[in-house]
Amino acid sequence: QIFNRQWEEALATLQHLHELRPKNAFILQLLEQVCLELKDWASLEILLPIFRKRCVFSSEEINQIELKVYSKLLLACVTNNTIENKWKELPRHLKKHPLLVAVYAEYLLTNNKDEEAEAVLKMILRKVLDKRLLELYAMLPSVNPIRKIARVEKWYKANPENANLLLCLGRICKQQKLWG
């Protein structure tokens, strides 16, 4: 069924086999493959703890699957405005991942929740100076732009080789028309 790309039939067969043999690693690997093909992120979310428990994949592979699943779930939640609920349900360690933070912060920015977006971005940028997060931080409208500039300058002093911080500073200064 997989060879013939009959994904729905393969999923039904694998789910039945999984009920019969829940510890079988090969069945779990095939389930992962079929769910990815079907873009069945909800099923993969349910399978993630089983993958970890049964050591079906290496920890790095599981982390990559987990990241892909939750980024797709967050993006799907943007369209039906349930992303805030999904964000609250995310495992704690994933709320610190730049890719997922960027998805959530973009949602907050487009929905005029600037203060929440700034809080989320500041929290992660203290630890990880990700290029995309710095771009989002520079786009944030700010009530106190001087404090925002001072914060980025502080990060720059600790990381003078980071060109993305300079670009972020430049964008904030341009936004505030600070040409000096």
Side-chain angles (χ1 to χ4, degrees), residues 30-118:
L30 291 175
L31 264 172
E32 183 264 349
Q33 179 185 351
V34 170
C35 286
L36 280 174
E37 287 293 333
L38 290 171
K39 296 177 178 33
D40 187 356
W41 311 118
S43 294
L44 278 168
E45 181 182 22
I46 293 167
L47 289 169
L48 281 169
I50 299 169
F51 293 160
R52 278 198 198 284
K53 184 177 181 181
R54 300 283 173 226
C55 299
V56 176
F57 301 101
S58 70
S59 61
E60 182 58 37
E61 288 173 317
I62 291 173
N63 290 340
Q64 291 300 316
I65 295 167
E66 184 178 53
L67 189 61
K68 183 172 187 165
V69 166
Y70 282 110
S71 66
K72 297 294 185 179
L73 285 171
L74 280 176
L75 287 170
C77 289
V78 168
T79 56
N80 56 14
N81 289 324
T82 59
I83 190 169
E84 291 179 34
N85 294 334
K86 192 59 162 175
W87 180 257
K88 291 175 186 172
E89 295 172 6
L90 274 182
R92 193 173 179 196
H93 70 279
L94 290 176
K95 289 182 181 180
K96 297 174 185 172
H97 195 281
L99 174 68
L100 300 178
V101 171
V103 171
Y104 186 56
E106 284 178 18
Y107 163 80
L108 293 172
L109 280 171
T110 56
N111 288 285
N112 298 318
K113 298 181 179 185
D114 301 332
E115 291 177 16
E116 291 175 47
E118 185 172 7

